[in-house]
Amino acid sequence: MRSDVYKEQLVKRDFGQKERSKRLYIIGIAVAIALFFWEVCQARASISFNNGDDRMGYAFTLLTLIIVGIDIYVAVKKIKELNREYEYAYTNGTLDIDVIMNRSKRKKVFEGVVSEFEIMTHIDDKEHLALYDKLTAADFSSGEVLGNTYVFVTTYKGKRKKFIIEPREDILMAMYKDLTPRRMYLKK
């Protein structure tokens, strides 16, 4: 009889160059949208004030403030979502991965049975990963290649895909028990 196994790990995503670029992109788009609506609405407000229609002028000014406020709110929310952590939960042969955005919003991004993985190997193992070069990869790691950065391939939601994770030694050994040595290659 097999005993129950439950292991959990939290991996913080490094805020690297890719995330900095995304942040600058979000800020740039938000500024462009705010300036566009500011110019359009203020031009309409100016025309209304010049024609003596003060109510319409005030309405366009209020509309400008509302749109710019919403724009800033959405931009700040998107920037905060770039702060990510991944939680791995390994329970009796099942691996669940959740993404935690800005330490508040949680979303399940993967759930699968480890014994159904085609292969699992270290990210630097080019020999065993050569067959899977063309597959898209989902990166649920810190973003750095470390000694415990592994790739596994499985069918998820009807598509074969590569997943990059950083399991601790105890999670890795528990997964090793569920995979045959011909499908899991530990880094030596």
Side-chain angles (χ1 to χ4, degrees), residues 70-127:
I70 291 171
D71 182 47
I72 291 170
Y73 172 78
V74 170
V76 167
K77 188 172 179 172
K78 291 293 181 188
I79 288 171
K80 283 183 175 183
E81 285 181 0
L82 293 176
N83 181 16
R84 293 174 176 228
E85 294 174 313
Y86 299 104
E87 182 182 67
Y88 311 146
Y90 180 80
T91 310
N92 296 330
T94 302
L95 179 66
D96 295 322
I97 303 174
D98 292 349
V99 62
I100 304 166
M101 293 170 272
N102 199 35
R103 295 185 178 170
S104 59
K105 184 178 174 188
R106 175 184 294 265
K107 179 181 173 189
K108 184 170 292 301
V109 290
F110 178 81
E111 182 177 11
V113 178
V114 173
S115 62
E116 295 175 0
F117 292 0
E118 288 181 40
I119 187 172
M120 184 165 178
T121 187
H122 191 269
I123 196 164
D124 290 334
D125 186 355
K126 303 300 180 204
E127 176 187 346

Side-chain angles (χ1 to χ4, degrees), residues 17-166:
Q17 185 60 40
K18 184 177 177 184
E19 285 76 18
R20 285 186 193 91
S21 297
K22 283 181 183 178
R23 181 173 54 185
L24 288 175
Y25 178 75
I26 291 168
I27 291 170
I29 293 295
V31 167
I33 290 170
L35 288 175
F36 173 76
F37 280 105
W38 182 269
E39 288 297 320
V40 169
C41 290
Q42 286 306 298
R44 296 295 294 164
S46 178
I47 291 169
S48 296
F49 282 129
N50 289 339
N51 290 337
D53 191 0
D54 288 346
R55 284 187 14 202
M56 195 59 126
Y58 290 126
F60 277 114
T61 302
L62 181 61
L63 179 63
T64 302
L65 294 174
I66 290 170
I67 290 174
V68 170
I70 291 171
D71 182 47
I72 291 170
Y73 172 78
V74 170
V76 167
K77 188 172 179 172
K78 291 293 181 188
I79 288 171
K80 283 183 175 183
E81 285 181 0
L82 293 176
N83 181 16
R84 293 174 176 228
E85 294 174 313
Y86 299 104
E87 182 182 67
Y88 311 146
Y90 180 80
T91 310
N92 296 330
T94 302
L95 179 66
D96 295 322
I97 303 174
D98 292 349
V99 62
I100 304 166
M101 293 170 272
N102 199 35
R103 295 185 178 170
S104 59
K105 184 178 174 188
R106 175 184 294 265
K107 179 181 173 189
K108 184 170 292 301
V109 290
F110 178 81
E111 182 177 11
V113 178
V114 173
S115 62
E116 295 175 0
F117 292 0
E118 288 181 40
I119 187 172
M120 184 165 178
T121 187
H122 191 269
I123 196 164
D124 290 334
D125 186 355
K126 303 300 180 204
E127 176 187 346
H128 292 104
L129 290 174
L131 292 171
Y132 307 101
D133 280 344
K134 302 232 186 281
L135 295 179
T136 58
D139 190 352
F140 303 131
S141 69
S142 68
E144 291 183 40
V145 175
L146 303 171
N148 66 331
T149 306
Y150 278 78
V151 175
F152 66 88
V153 176
T154 190
T155 302
Y156 185 65
K157 294 186 178 179
K159 293 185 179 179
R160 281 179 69 211
K161 207 169 178 183
K162 291 190 292 190
F163 295 90
I164 303 169
I165 60 172
E166 288 178 13

Side-chain angles (χ1 to χ4, degrees), residues 1-7 90-95 112-116 170-180:
M1 183 172 153
R2 184 174 172 186
S3 64
D4 287 341
V5 176
Y6 178 76
K7 311 250 182 235
Y90 180 80
T91 310
N92 296 330
T94 302
L95 179 66
V113 178
V114 173
S115 62
E116 295 175 0
D170 58 334
I171 295 175
L172 199 58
M173 289 299 112
M175 293 170 81
Y176 185 73
K177 291 177 183 174
D178 288 326
L179 286 168
T180 64

